Amino acid sequence: MPIYKIRGIEVDFPYEAYDCQIVYMEKVIQSLQQECNALLESPTGTGKTLCLLCATLAWRKSLGPFSSRKSNGDGQKLDDDGLGPSQSDGLKPPMIVYASRTHSQLRQVVQELRRTNYRPKMVVLGSREQLCIHNQVRLLHGKAQTNACRYLRKKTTKRYCKHYKPAGEYLKINPHLGDEPLDIEDLVNIGRSCGPCPYYLARELHKVVDILLVPYNYLIERRYKDLLNMEWRNSVLIFDEAHNLESICADATSFDLTSGLLTACIAEAKNCVDMSLRRREIDRSHDKKCNPDNFAILRGLLLKLEKRISELHIDSKELGFTRPGPYIYELLADLNITSKSANKLIDMIEEAALLLEEDGNADGGESQEMKGVTCRLETMGEILRLIFKDGDTSHAEYYRVHVRESEASSGDSFRGGSGKASRTLSWWCFNPGFSMQDFSRRGVGSIILTSGTLSPMDSFAQEFKLEFPVRLENPHVISSDQIWAGVLPAGPSGHSFNSSYRSRDSPEYKRDLGNAIVNLARIVPDGLLVFFPSYYLMDQCVASWKDNSHENSSNSTSIWERICRHKLPVVEPRQSSLFSLAIDDYMSKLKDSSTSGAVFFAVCRGKVSEGLDFTDHAGRAVVITGLPFPTRNDPKVRLKREFLDHLAKPQTSRAKVLTGEEWYDQQASRAVNQAVGRVIRHQHDYGALIFCDERFSSSHRQSQVSRWIQPHMKCYSKFGDVVYSLTRFFQDAVRHPTMLERARLPYSGNLDQANASHPSENFSAVKCFSEACSDVENCCKLPSPFNDVKSGNASTHLGEILPANRSSLSAMKQNQSLILKHVTSLFKTERKLLPPRILSPCRSSEVVTLSKTFSLEGKQNEEPLPFSCRKRPKILKEEAGGSLCEKLSQEANLSVEKLWEGNISASPNPVKQEKIEASLPTAPGDSVVGSSSQVISEMKSQTKLRRAANPGSSSASPVSLGEAKGSGFLYQVKEKLSPTEYGEFVGYMKALKSKAMKIGPVLHSIVRLFSTPDRLHLLRSFKDYIPAKYLPLYEEQCASTLKTIAL
């Protein structure tokens, strides 16, 4: 594995790193070394998680050996307490806490950690739902499960959990646990095979680890944060997939107290009074722990709170009742609830919860089923802790009190279906930084927020009220020919696309949008994602497209039916329970060979736009039908805007303050960025981003789009121009050499499998040639070259354009079973990490120093690259035992010789090259004539050697060697030629095979393609495949062409 020296830290990276990956790791290390916060954006597919782990662990290792009991590679051993020399002196290195949104994302982090050479002591903390192995408790959920677990841990109970006690003992016997990366499934397997509770095993192990993997709530919610037994000072907190972190932080410090919940709490308090009275009658004791008077007081306070909320005057149902945050203390003071009495009230609630739990699990035999007890009074305790946090009330300035009224549903179980008006008391926090500022008070060293979509970053930083000195907006690892990004301001009929409330309900807008999607469904191959700003607009459009009564034409076919001709539709359901069925439906329709794919109609901020991975054929294009602004009349949105405007009024400091309108605008942009990130998920993927709203034409709106997309965005004035350009894009992408290779590599998001499937082992030249030739034939059906068509007249050629999904459909169907069998797993694991590489992992541990070649901004100081994600030019030296072509193609089945059908000798040239260099430009003083003379001289000497070695013989050497060499040559040709030139090369070879052209013109054309300074080695290599009788002709063509170029 290569070792990169970045800012003085040696980073062991498992693969040859791209420039953008090195820049990312540099920013991570800068943040850690300077003990400051960082905002790092890097698109999905750039290896963000792997870079984050390698850079962080390399920095941590530089401070001292890991706590694992293995040798740390530097000769340092650990003592009996698992500490290194520096740690034994009391200088324990900081702990790294890696947080992500879901357990499935943490599972991916563990997989990435296994691919590195770093072996820190680690563990993943999960919930009981993931880790419990008790036969009955694991079937429960939420607080019912927590209460059942707490009850069974008591030794006094008859059904004491047998897994609880062995957890600590197992760690003493197995101190090596955590030295190798552990997933949640690994902990569960240990528990089932050896007996210890996985939940409490992880809780014990996390006290001694170097890196701790946790879900968000362990760092954001106070009750979970206090459970972490760790040294917070100088620790490192990493929040991955942090694009929604601000809303998660705000929700974690807010509450909504509904009438139904309050009624349930009153009923539970009444039950506690009755149960405590029964216990006193049975035991004839006066135990203060079950004093019915306390529960009666609790019930009385809750009744007064219910009455007080019902008496608040609400002027308008839309506006509700709103007061500043500190009003909550005034409201509770009327009930004699203050910061002093609140603690006593919380103690009463805990006693009540314990009594309800014991009563719910009492009188049960060994065979009784565990049902668990859900105590809603515990929610009231959490609300009081939040309001009277640490006896302080200063945080109330970040809040607003709001009471809204709504009709109670007939199925309201708490109100008996009375249908009376229901009120909800809310205390909303509008400062997400309130949760994050607690880390500063605890002395945390660095907070790193990273995601694929953090833009726009300014508002993100301002929301948290924290300083982020280190920032990065990384480019993608794709080239410009793998992405198409365009703005469609109008539809086929010329009606403007604008999804604002002024025009979205007009029949003309819906009709033109539908007709546009019909055309896009015809052009885009395989999967198409269409995102609407809201469920309302999606439902309205779909209903309108299904109704053909408003169609002006005589054709009775509706828009919906025309969409179905090209792609089978799936609509995102509102109910979460139906979402998995919709995903399965979409995947099955993608496999339907009767159409060219499927279209998924979804909503921005919905489940489809969050976390799902539409890799390769699952998503070839995303259509954004409008700007998904939050609902302006929503009370929470309205109060958030008012809160920010109130903060922006004084403007006493020079620091920029986010206004309500800016926040509102950027919420829409962030939702768009999240939606368009569903496609182009790795280095070899390609796709189109189509913005169907005229507002995206403005420079302001485009500046809010993710930085990696901005250079590719283009505004079109006519819909016909879009159809023409998009058709050419997909046709070029399908026959692009990189795409053809990618289509034949099995990809499941696993780097080990991807690298095992090296191109040399799976590359079939004949298949690539045959499909490339097929695409070349289809291209002939297009009008004259794209550059010859003026943008204003592009629409006149629409009748001649063959849809992209038609020209490539046969090729796609051949590989559909290969690709789609891996796609179903994409939705089980929410994110794909690092893509497969063309080069296999480096085996040497060569140290690459970057101090001279990279600046802090990640650019080369000497010579810039074409784009920042290119790999470094590297000289590949030939190893003993065969040429580079033979090494690359040692297991290929077919090669370039097949196209000659035996007319060319397959005998490889016995004279091997000493080295094959990457494409480096010739020096300014180099003469093309000199280069051509050298090439011709080499060719003649090679011809003499061949004839001397095989006098009068043209027999082929073993097929495996010749074919391997041929496949390696094809690999070089694809890398050096552009897609258009490669298509020409294939056409010449096919014409020669079918005898449509004479060999003279074919050789002349191929020599012309290979005659640029950086392709001269192709001239040398191609000579090995020329029959002996045509060698003089080939040499003559080379000499003539090169001299002409020199002149």
Side-chain angles (χ1 to χ4, degrees), residues 484 486 520 524 527-531 604 614 619-625 672 674-680 687-692 730:
W484 187 99
L520 296 176
V524 176
L528 173 64
L529 309 177
V530 180
F531 286 99
C604 292
F614 293 87
R620 282 297 178 215
V622 166
V623 178
I624 303 295
T625 63
V672 168
Q674 191 64 21
V676 298
R678 297 310 93 208
V679 298
I680 312 182
L689 313 177
I690 307 165
F691 301 89
C692 293
F730 280 112

PDB file of all heavy atoms in Angstrom, residues 484 486 520 524 527-531 604 614 619-625 672 674-680 687-692 730:
ATOM      1  N   TRP A 484     -23.986  15.433 -17.848  1.00  0.00           N
ATOM      2  CA  TRP A 484     -24.719  16.425 -18.646  1.00  0.00           C
ATOM      3  C   TRP A 484     -25.603  17.186 -17.666  1.00  0.00           C
ATOM      4  O   TRP A 484     -26.407  16.583 -16.942  1.00  0.00           O
ATOM      5  CB  TRP A 484     -25.581  15.742 -19.711  1.00  0.00           C
ATOM      6  CG  TRP A 484     -26.242  16.666 -20.697  1.00  0.00           C
ATOM      7  CD1 TRP A 484     -25.824  16.965 -21.960  1.00  0.00           C
ATOM      8  CD2 TRP A 484     -27.458  17.415 -20.513  1.00  0.00           C
ATOM      9  NE1 TRP A 484     -26.695  17.836 -22.568  1.00  0.00           N
ATOM     10  CE2 TRP A 484     -27.718  18.136 -21.699  1.00  0.00           C
ATOM     11  CE3 TRP A 484     -28.357  17.543 -19.459  1.00  0.00           C
ATOM     12  CZ2 TRP A 484     -28.822  18.961 -21.862  1.00  0.00           C
ATOM     13  CZ3 TRP A 484     -29.458  18.381 -19.608  1.00  0.00           C
ATOM     14  CH2 TRP A 484     -29.689  19.071 -20.799  1.00  0.00           C
ATOM     15  N   GLY A 486     -28.129  20.582 -17.550  1.00  0.00           N
ATOM     16  CA  GLY A 486     -28.764  21.634 -18.334  1.00  0.00           C
ATOM     17  C   GLY A 486     -30.025  22.172 -17.700  1.00  0.00           C
ATOM     18  O   GLY A 486     -30.712  21.485 -16.944  1.00  0.00           O
ATOM     19  N   LEU A 520     -38.083  13.015 -22.522  1.00  0.00           N
ATOM     20  CA  LEU A 520     -36.924  12.598 -21.738  1.00  0.00           C
ATOM     21  C   LEU A 520     -36.950  11.094 -21.486  1.00  0.00           C
ATOM     22  O   LEU A 520     -35.906  10.430 -21.478  1.00  0.00           O
ATOM     23  CB  LEU A 520     -36.884  13.365 -20.416  1.00  0.00           C
ATOM     24  CG  LEU A 520     -36.683  14.885 -20.532  1.00  0.00           C
ATOM     25  CD1 LEU A 520     -36.765  15.533 -19.155  1.00  0.00           C
ATOM     26  CD2 LEU A 520     -35.349  15.206 -21.187  1.00  0.00           C
ATOM     27  N   VAL A 524     -33.577   9.075 -22.376  1.00  0.00           N
ATOM     28  CA  VAL A 524     -32.738   8.578 -21.281  1.00  0.00           C
ATOM     29  C   VAL A 524     -32.840   7.059 -21.200  1.00  0.00           C
ATOM     30  O   VAL A 524     -33.947   6.514 -21.120  1.00  0.00           O
ATOM     31  CB  VAL A 524     -33.171   9.210 -19.939  1.00  0.00           C
ATOM     32  CG1 VAL A 524     -32.359   8.624 -18.779  1.00  0.00           C
ATOM     33  CG2 VAL A 524     -33.018  10.722 -19.991  1.00  0.00           C
ATOM     34  N   GLY A 527     -32.964   3.843 -15.921  1.00  0.00           N
ATOM     35  CA  GLY A 527     -33.687   4.499 -14.831  1.00  0.00           C
ATOM     36  C   GLY A 527     -33.725   6.010 -14.955  1.00  0.00           C
ATOM     37  O   GLY A 527     -32.709   6.662 -15.220  1.00  0.00           O
ATOM     38  N   LEU A 528     -34.922   6.573 -14.727  1.00  0.00           N
ATOM     39  CA  LEU A 528     -35.126   8.026 -14.753  1.00  0.00           C
ATOM     40  C   LEU A 528     -35.811   8.438 -13.458  1.00  0.00           C
ATOM     41  O   LEU A 528     -36.834   7.859 -13.071  1.00  0.00           O
ATOM     42  CB  LEU A 528     -35.976   8.424 -15.963  1.00  0.00           C
ATOM     43  CG  LEU A 528     -36.433   9.891 -16.047  1.00  0.00           C
ATOM     44  CD1 LEU A 528     -35.239  10.823 -16.199  1.00  0.00           C
ATOM     45  CD2 LEU A 528     -37.415  10.083 -17.207  1.00  0.00           C
ATOM     46  N   LEU A 529     -35.246   9.418 -12.751  1.00  0.00           N
ATOM     47  CA  LEU A 529     -35.817   9.932 -11.503  1.00  0.00           C
ATOM     48  C   LEU A 529     -36.366  11.323 -11.743  1.00  0.00           C
ATOM     49  O   LEU A 529     -35.667  12.184 -12.270  1.00  0.00           O
ATOM     50  CB  LEU A 529     -34.750   9.978 -10.404  1.00  0.00           C
ATOM     51  CG  LEU A 529     -33.935   8.708 -10.161  1.00  0.00           C
ATOM     52  CD1 LEU A 529     -32.879   8.948  -9.097  1.00  0.00           C
ATOM     53  CD2 LEU A 529     -34.834   7.559  -9.755  1.00  0.00           C
ATOM     54  N   VAL A 530     -37.616  11.531 -11.356  1.00  0.00           N
ATOM     55  CA  VAL A 530     -38.269  12.834 -11.528  1.00  0.00           C
ATOM     56  C   VAL A 530     -38.694  13.322 -10.149  1.00  0.00           C
ATOM     57  O   VAL A 530     -39.524  12.693  -9.494  1.00  0.00           O
ATOM     58  CB  VAL A 530     -39.488  12.738 -12.466  1.00  0.00           C
ATOM     59  CG1 VAL A 530     -40.137  14.104 -12.627  1.00  0.00           C
ATOM     60  CG2 VAL A 530     -39.084  12.173 -13.819  1.00  0.00           C
ATOM     61  N   PHE A 531     -38.119  14.442  -9.706  1.00  0.00           N
ATOM     62  CA  PHE A 531     -38.397  14.975  -8.376  1.00  0.00           C
ATOM     63  C   PHE A 531     -39.288  16.211  -8.463  1.00  0.00           C
ATOM     64  O   PHE A 531     -39.005  17.130  -9.241  1.00  0.00           O
ATOM     65  CB  PHE A 531     -37.095  15.336  -7.659  1.00  0.00           C
ATOM     66  CG  PHE A 531     -36.317  14.138  -7.185  1.00  0.00           C
ATOM     67  CD1 PHE A 531     -35.246  13.660  -7.926  1.00  0.00           C
ATOM     68  CD2 PHE A 531     -36.655  13.492  -6.016  1.00  0.00           C
ATOM     69  CE1 PHE A 531     -34.524  12.561  -7.503  1.00  0.00           C
ATOM     70  CE2 PHE A 531     -35.950  12.389  -5.575  1.00  0.00           C
ATOM     71  CZ  PHE A 531     -34.882  11.922  -6.326  1.00  0.00           C
ATOM     72  N   CYS A 604     -38.745  15.902  -3.470  1.00  0.00           N
ATOM     73  CA  CYS A 604     -37.574  16.402  -2.757  1.00  0.00           C
ATOM     74  C   CYS A 604     -37.852  16.382  -1.257  1.00  0.00           C
ATOM     75  O   CYS A 604     -38.953  16.717  -0.822  1.00  0.00           O
ATOM     76  CB  CYS A 604     -37.242  17.828  -3.207  1.00  0.00           C
ATOM     77  SG  CYS A 604     -36.649  17.965  -4.898  1.00  0.00           S
ATOM     78  N   PHE A 614     -28.816   5.235  -6.421  1.00  0.00           N
ATOM     79  CA  PHE A 614     -29.252   4.793  -7.746  1.00  0.00           C
ATOM     80  C   PHE A 614     -28.028   4.711  -8.659  1.00  0.00           C
ATOM     81  O   PHE A 614     -27.818   5.553  -9.527  1.00  0.00           O
ATOM     82  CB  PHE A 614     -30.305   5.751  -8.303  1.00  0.00           C
ATOM     83  CG  PHE A 614     -31.596   5.735  -7.537  1.00  0.00           C
ATOM     84  CD1 PHE A 614     -31.774   6.543  -6.431  1.00  0.00           C
ATOM     85  CD2 PHE A 614     -32.631   4.894  -7.905  1.00  0.00           C
ATOM     86  CE1 PHE A 614     -32.958   6.528  -5.712  1.00  0.00           C
ATOM     87  CE2 PHE A 614     -33.817   4.872  -7.200  1.00  0.00           C
ATOM     88  CZ  PHE A 614     -33.981   5.688  -6.096  1.00  0.00           C
ATOM     89  N   GLY A 619     -30.171   4.699 -12.177  1.00  0.00           N
ATOM     90  CA  GLY A 619     -30.452   6.127 -12.315  1.00  0.00           C
ATOM     91  C   GLY A 619     -29.526   6.765 -13.325  1.00  0.00           C
ATOM     92  O   GLY A 619     -28.378   7.072 -13.012  1.00  0.00           O
ATOM     93  N   ARG A 620     -30.008   6.967 -14.523  1.00  0.00           N
ATOM     94  CA  ARG A 620     -29.197   7.602 -15.563  1.00  0.00           C
ATOM     95  C   ARG A 620     -29.484   9.097 -15.679  1.00  0.00           C
ATOM     96  O   ARG A 620     -28.695   9.825 -16.291  1.00  0.00           O
ATOM     97  CB  ARG A 620     -29.448   6.931 -16.918  1.00  0.00           C
ATOM     98  CG  ARG A 620     -28.742   5.606 -17.081  1.00  0.00           C
ATOM     99  CD  ARG A 620     -27.252   5.771 -17.028  1.00  0.00           C
ATOM    100  NE  ARG A 620     -26.550   4.500 -17.142  1.00  0.00           N
ATOM    101  CZ  ARG A 620     -25.430   4.214 -16.520  1.00  0.00           C
ATOM    102  NH1 ARG A 620     -24.885   5.103 -15.699  1.00  0.00           N
ATOM    103  NH2 ARG A 620     -24.840   3.055 -16.676  1.00  0.00           N
ATOM    104  N   ALA A 621     -30.576   9.554 -15.101  1.00  0.00           N
ATOM    105  CA  ALA A 621     -30.875  10.984 -15.162  1.00  0.00           C
ATOM    106  C   ALA A 621     -31.789  11.369 -14.011  1.00  0.00           C
ATOM    107  O   ALA A 621     -32.598  10.564 -13.543  1.00  0.00           O
ATOM    108  CB  ALA A 621     -31.521  11.352 -16.501  1.00  0.00           C
ATOM    109  N   VAL A 622     -31.642  12.608 -13.570  1.00  0.00           N
ATOM    110  CA  VAL A 622     -32.503  13.195 -12.550  1.00  0.00           C
ATOM    111  C   VAL A 622     -33.159  14.438 -13.148  1.00  0.00           C
ATOM    112  O   VAL A 622     -32.477  15.283 -13.736  1.00  0.00           O
ATOM    113  CB  VAL A 622     -31.702  13.578 -11.285  1.00  0.00           C
ATOM    114  CG1 VAL A 622     -32.528  14.481 -10.392  1.00  0.00           C
ATOM    115  CG2 VAL A 622     -31.305  12.353 -10.517  1.00  0.00           C
ATOM    116  N   VAL A 623     -34.457  14.529 -13.000  1.00  0.00           N
ATOM    117  CA  VAL A 623     -35.206  15.701 -13.452  1.00  0.00           C
ATOM    118  C   VAL A 623     -35.725  16.444 -12.216  1.00  0.00           C
ATOM    119  O   VAL A 623     -36.425  15.858 -11.395  1.00  0.00           O
ATOM    120  CB  VAL A 623     -36.386  15.309 -14.367  1.00  0.00           C
ATOM    121  CG1 VAL A 623     -37.169  16.545 -14.779  1.00  0.00           C
ATOM    122  CG2 VAL A 623     -35.891  14.550 -15.586  1.00  0.00           C
ATOM    123  N   ILE A 624     -35.350  17.699 -12.084  1.00  0.00           N
ATOM    124  CA  ILE A 624     -35.842  18.551 -10.999  1.00  0.00           C
ATOM    125  C   ILE A 624     -36.918  19.455 -11.586  1.00  0.00           C
ATOM    126  O   ILE A 624     -36.634  20.280 -12.450  1.00  0.00           O
ATOM    127  CB  ILE A 624     -34.715  19.390 -10.383  1.00  0.00           C
ATOM    128  CG1 ILE A 624     -33.579  18.495  -9.880  1.00  0.00           C
ATOM    129  CG2 ILE A 624     -35.248  20.270  -9.257  1.00  0.00           C
ATOM    130  CD1 ILE A 624     -33.973  17.599  -8.744  1.00  0.00           C
ATOM    131  N   THR A 625     -38.154  19.291 -11.141  1.00  0.00           N
ATOM    132  CA  THR A 625     -39.271  20.021 -11.744  1.00  0.00           C
ATOM    133  C   THR A 625     -39.556  21.354 -11.065  1.00  0.00           C
ATOM    134  O   THR A 625     -40.497  22.039 -11.453  1.00  0.00           O
ATOM    135  CB  THR A 625     -40.548  19.169 -11.705  1.00  0.00           C
ATOM    136  OG1 THR A 625     -40.904  18.920 -10.339  1.00  0.00           O
ATOM    137  CG2 THR A 625     -40.338  17.845 -12.412  1.00  0.00           C
ATOM    138  N   VAL A 672     -32.421  20.457  -3.373  1.00  0.00           N
ATOM    139  CA  VAL A 672     -32.111  20.152  -4.767  1.00  0.00           C
ATOM    140  C   VAL A 672     -30.784  19.408  -4.871  1.00  0.00           C
ATOM    141  O   VAL A 672     -30.661  18.399  -5.571  1.00  0.00           O
ATOM    142  CB  VAL A 672     -32.080  21.451  -5.612  1.00  0.00           C
ATOM    143  CG1 VAL A 672     -31.479  21.184  -6.993  1.00  0.00           C
ATOM    144  CG2 VAL A 672     -33.472  22.027  -5.761  1.00  0.00           C
ATOM    145  N   GLN A 674     -29.372  17.577  -2.702  1.00  0.00           N
ATOM    146  CA  GLN A 674     -29.517  16.224  -2.174  1.00  0.00           C
ATOM    147  C   GLN A 674     -30.181  15.309  -3.205  1.00  0.00           C
ATOM    148  O   GLN A 674     -29.820  14.142  -3.341  1.00  0.00           O
ATOM    149  CB  GLN A 674     -30.337  16.258  -0.882  1.00  0.00           C
ATOM    150  CG  GLN A 674     -30.347  14.967  -0.098  1.00  0.00           C
ATOM    151  CD  GLN A 674     -28.969  14.592   0.418  1.00  0.00           C
ATOM    152  OE1 GLN A 674     -28.100  15.441   0.529  1.00  0.00           O
ATOM    153  NE2 GLN A 674     -28.776  13.334   0.725  1.00  0.00           N
ATOM    154  N   ALA A 675     -31.146  15.840  -3.941  1.00  0.00           N
ATOM    155  CA  ALA A 675     -31.864  15.032  -4.929  1.00  0.00           C
ATOM    156  C   ALA A 675     -30.982  14.696  -6.130  1.00  0.00           C
ATOM    157  O   ALA A 675     -30.955  13.550  -6.597  1.00  0.00           O
ATOM    158  CB  ALA A 675     -33.128  15.758  -5.384  1.00  0.00           C
ATOM    159  N   VAL A 676     -30.250  15.669  -6.649  1.00  0.00           N
ATOM    160  CA  VAL A 676     -29.431  15.414  -7.834  1.00  0.00           C
ATOM    161  C   VAL A 676     -28.248  14.508  -7.504  1.00  0.00           C
ATOM    162  O   VAL A 676     -27.655  13.899  -8.402  1.00  0.00           O
ATOM    163  CB  VAL A 676     -28.914  16.728  -8.468  1.00  0.00           C
ATOM    164  CG1 VAL A 676     -30.064  17.581  -8.936  1.00  0.00           C
ATOM    165  CG2 VAL A 676     -28.029  17.497  -7.494  1.00  0.00           C
ATOM    166  N   GLY A 677     -27.922  14.380  -6.224  1.00  0.00           N
ATOM    167  CA  GLY A 677     -26.834  13.496  -5.838  1.00  0.00           C
ATOM    168  C   GLY A 677     -27.181  12.027  -5.871  1.00  0.00           C
ATOM    169  O   GLY A 677     -26.340  11.179  -5.541  1.00  0.00           O
ATOM    170  N   ARG A 678     -28.415  11.683  -6.277  1.00  0.00           N
ATOM    171  CA  ARG A 678     -28.804  10.259  -6.346  1.00  0.00           C
ATOM    172  C   ARG A 678     -28.122   9.537  -7.493  1.00  0.00           C
ATOM    173  O   ARG A 678     -28.049   8.303  -7.480  1.00  0.00           O
ATOM    174  CB  ARG A 678     -30.323  10.132  -6.529  1.00  0.00           C
ATOM    175  CG  ARG A 678     -31.204  10.678  -5.411  1.00  0.00           C
ATOM    176  CD  ARG A 678     -30.802  10.200  -4.056  1.00  0.00           C
ATOM    177  NE  ARG A 678     -29.874  11.137  -3.426  1.00  0.00           N
ATOM    178  CZ  ARG A 678     -28.970  10.782  -2.540  1.00  0.00           C
ATOM    179  NH1 ARG A 678     -28.824   9.522  -2.192  1.00  0.00           N
ATOM    180  NH2 ARG A 678     -28.170  11.690  -2.003  1.00  0.00           N
ATOM    181  N   VAL A 679     -27.666  10.265  -8.510  1.00  0.00           N
ATOM    182  CA  VAL A 679     -27.020   9.616  -9.659  1.00  0.00           C
ATOM    183  C   VAL A 679     -25.548  10.003  -9.690  1.00  0.00           C
ATOM    184  O   VAL A 679     -25.105  10.869  -8.944  1.00  0.00           O
ATOM    185  CB  VAL A 679     -27.707  10.003 -10.985  1.00  0.00           C
ATOM    186  CG1 VAL A 679     -29.144   9.539 -10.992  1.00  0.00           C
ATOM    187  CG2 VAL A 679     -27.636  11.498 -11.214  1.00  0.00           C
ATOM    188  N   ILE A 680     -24.798   9.357 -10.594  1.00  0.00           N
ATOM    189  CA  ILE A 680     -23.343   9.516 -10.727  1.00  0.00           C
ATOM    190  C   ILE A 680     -22.710   9.228  -9.379  1.00  0.00           C
ATOM    191  O   ILE A 680     -22.239  10.121  -8.675  1.00  0.00           O
ATOM    192  CB  ILE A 680     -22.955  10.916 -11.257  1.00  0.00           C
ATOM    193  CG1 ILE A 680     -23.798  11.301 -12.480  1.00  0.00           C
ATOM    194  CG2 ILE A 680     -21.481  10.932 -11.621  1.00  0.00           C
ATOM    195  CD1 ILE A 680     -23.441  12.637 -13.074  1.00  0.00           C
ATOM    196  N   GLY A 687     -24.336  10.246 -16.037  1.00  0.00           N
ATOM    197  CA  GLY A 687     -25.753  10.581 -15.960  1.00  0.00           C
ATOM    198  C   GLY A 687     -26.004  12.036 -16.300  1.00  0.00           C
ATOM    199  O   GLY A 687     -25.084  12.828 -16.518  1.00  0.00           O
ATOM    200  N   ALA A 688     -27.290  12.380 -16.336  1.00  0.00           N
ATOM    201  CA  ALA A 688     -27.722  13.723 -16.700  1.00  0.00           C
ATOM    202  C   ALA A 688     -28.500  14.356 -15.554  1.00  0.00           C
ATOM    203  O   ALA A 688     -29.268  13.672 -14.868  1.00  0.00           O
ATOM    204  CB  ALA A 688     -28.580  13.682 -17.970  1.00  0.00           C
ATOM    205  N   LEU A 689     -28.316  15.648 -15.360  1.00  0.00           N
ATOM    206  CA  LEU A 689     -29.032  16.432 -14.362  1.00  0.00           C
ATOM    207  C   LEU A 689     -29.829  17.493 -15.116  1.00  0.00           C
ATOM    208  O   LEU A 689     -29.251  18.385 -15.746  1.00  0.00           O
ATOM    209  CB  LEU A 689     -28.057  17.093 -13.379  1.00  0.00           C
ATOM    210  CG  LEU A 689     -26.965  16.174 -12.806  1.00  0.00           C
ATOM    211  CD1 LEU A 689     -26.020  16.968 -11.909  1.00  0.00           C
ATOM    212  CD2 LEU A 689     -27.573  15.018 -12.052  1.00  0.00           C
ATOM    213  N   ILE A 690     -31.158  17.391 -15.060  1.00  0.00           N
ATOM    214  CA  ILE A 690     -32.031  18.220 -15.889  1.00  0.00           C
ATOM    215  C   ILE A 690     -32.882  19.085 -14.972  1.00  0.00           C
ATOM    216  O   ILE A 690     -33.682  18.568 -14.178  1.00  0.00           O
ATOM    217  CB  ILE A 690     -32.916  17.334 -16.790  1.00  0.00           C
ATOM    218  CG1 ILE A 690     -32.034  16.350 -17.581  1.00  0.00           C
ATOM    219  CG2 ILE A 690     -33.758  18.185 -17.719  1.00  0.00           C
ATOM    220  CD1 ILE A 690     -32.803  15.207 -18.210  1.00  0.00           C
ATOM    221  N   PHE A 691     -32.720  20.397 -15.059  1.00  0.00           N
ATOM    222  CA  PHE A 691     -33.420  21.349 -14.195  1.00  0.00           C
ATOM    223  C   PHE A 691     -34.550  21.995 -14.988  1.00  0.00           C
ATOM    224  O   PHE A 691     -34.315  22.880 -15.821  1.00  0.00           O
ATOM    225  CB  PHE A 691     -32.449  22.407 -13.675  1.00  0.00           C
ATOM    226  CG  PHE A 691     -31.297  21.844 -12.880  1.00  0.00           C
ATOM    227  CD1 PHE A 691     -30.121  21.454 -13.518  1.00  0.00           C
ATOM    228  CD2 PHE A 691     -31.388  21.691 -11.511  1.00  0.00           C
ATOM    229  CE1 PHE A 691     -29.063  20.931 -12.788  1.00  0.00           C
ATOM    230  CE2 PHE A 691     -30.333  21.168 -10.779  1.00  0.00           C
ATOM    231  CZ  PHE A 691     -29.172  20.786 -11.418  1.00  0.00           C
ATOM    232  N   CYS A 692     -35.782  21.559 -14.741  1.00  0.00           N
ATOM    233  CA  CYS A 692     -36.939  22.047 -15.497  1.00  0.00           C
ATOM    234  C   CYS A 692     -37.631  23.187 -14.746  1.00  0.00           C
ATOM    235  O   CYS A 692     -38.763  23.054 -14.275  1.00  0.00           O
ATOM    236  CB  CYS A 692     -37.921  20.896 -15.749  1.00  0.00           C
ATOM    237  SG  CYS A 692     -37.299  19.615 -16.834  1.00  0.00           S
ATOM    238  N   PHE A 730     -25.878  10.639 -24.330  1.00  0.00           N
ATOM    239  CA  PHE A 730     -26.056   9.250 -23.939  1.00  0.00           C
ATOM    240  C   PHE A 730     -25.482   8.297 -24.981  1.00  0.00           C
ATOM    241  O   PHE A 730     -24.961   7.229 -24.639  1.00  0.00           O
ATOM    242  CB  PHE A 730     -27.533   8.951 -23.686  1.00  0.00           C
ATOM    243  CG  PHE A 730     -27.999   9.403 -22.336  1.00  0.00           C
ATOM    244  CD1 PHE A 730     -28.891  10.451 -22.213  1.00  0.00           C
ATOM    245  CD2 PHE A 730     -27.532   8.804 -21.178  1.00  0.00           C
ATOM    246  CE1 PHE A 730     -29.317  10.881 -20.972  1.00  0.00           C
ATOM    247  CE2 PHE A 730     -27.947   9.225 -19.930  1.00  0.00           C
ATOM    248  CZ  PHE A 730     -28.843  10.267 -19.825  1.00  0.00           C
TER     249      PHE A 730
END
